[in-house]
Amino acid sequence: MREVAAQRDASRDETPSGRRAARPQHCGWCGRRLEGELSVGRRRRYCGQSCRQRAYERRSAVQRTGLPEDAVVLSSAEIATLQDRLFQVRCAAEDVATAADEGAEPEQLRRMAKELAYAAGELERLR
């Protein structure tokens, strides 16, 4: 009976041994997946010292400029890449709509939809 009560009172993030259960986490800077090891203590936020340093530099720069903490700052090259990806997604969507209006075969529409999904997936990867 005591075992059941102890398990019920234990934190949901902890295993019966007192260690946190492994959940997939990602680096706060580069987005890489962190190893899912069982550990005691604070959760890792960064995959390494260089990512921790870059995050610190960003926080310091944000504080100096007075930008909101959740502001996203992109270089002109990153903006150009983002605009290119958005253009690809828009063109692929227009191609699918045009093909559907013109009575394209289901297999052709399926192929075009897959290309659109791929372009949208690439757009999601901003880093």
Side-chain angles (χ1 to χ4, degrees):
M1 188 72 158
R2 283 185 167 182
E3 265 183 297
V4 173
Q7 286 178 352
R8 193 174 355 134
D9 294 338
S11 171
R12 291 182 184 172
D13 290 342
E14 293 182 358
T15 61
S17 67
R19 293 177 173 254
R20 278 198 325 261
R23 287 189 300 184
Q25 292 183 319
H26 297 86
C27 176
W29 179 255
C30 69
R32 278 191 221 143
R33 186 176 179 150
L34 299 175
E35 286 94 35
E37 59 191 50
L38 292 176
S39 64
V40 176
R42 193 180 332 177
R43 288 190 177 109
R44 290 177 56 195
R45 292 179 59 194
Y46 306 103
C47 61
Q49 181 59 35
S50 62
C51 286
R52 179 179 289 125
Q53 180 66 29
R54 299 294 90 72
Y56 167 77
E57 290 169 357
R58 180 180 178 270
R59 284 192 308 273
S60 297
V62 165
Q63 288 174 353
R64 283 191 307 268
T65 60
L67 292 172
E69 194 169 313
D70 62 347
V72 177
V73 180
L74 299 173
S75 69
S76 25
E78 290 171 322
I79 290 174
T81 300
L82 181 59
Q83 288 173 329
D84 288 344
R85 289 179 179 177
L86 284 168
F87 180 73
Q88 289 172 349
V89 169
R90 184 175 60 84
C91 289
E94 288 173 353
D95 289 346
V96 171
T98 301
D101 289 343
E102 294 176 352
E105 295 294 319
E107 184 56 39
Q108 183 183 10
L109 287 173
R110 195 172 297 114
R111 182 179 48 79
M112 294 173 81
K114 284 182 182 180
E115 290 174 12
L116 174 59
Y118 177 79
E122 288 296 306
L123 179 60
E124 286 180 326
R125 298 181 326 147
L126 293 177
R127 295 182 189 250

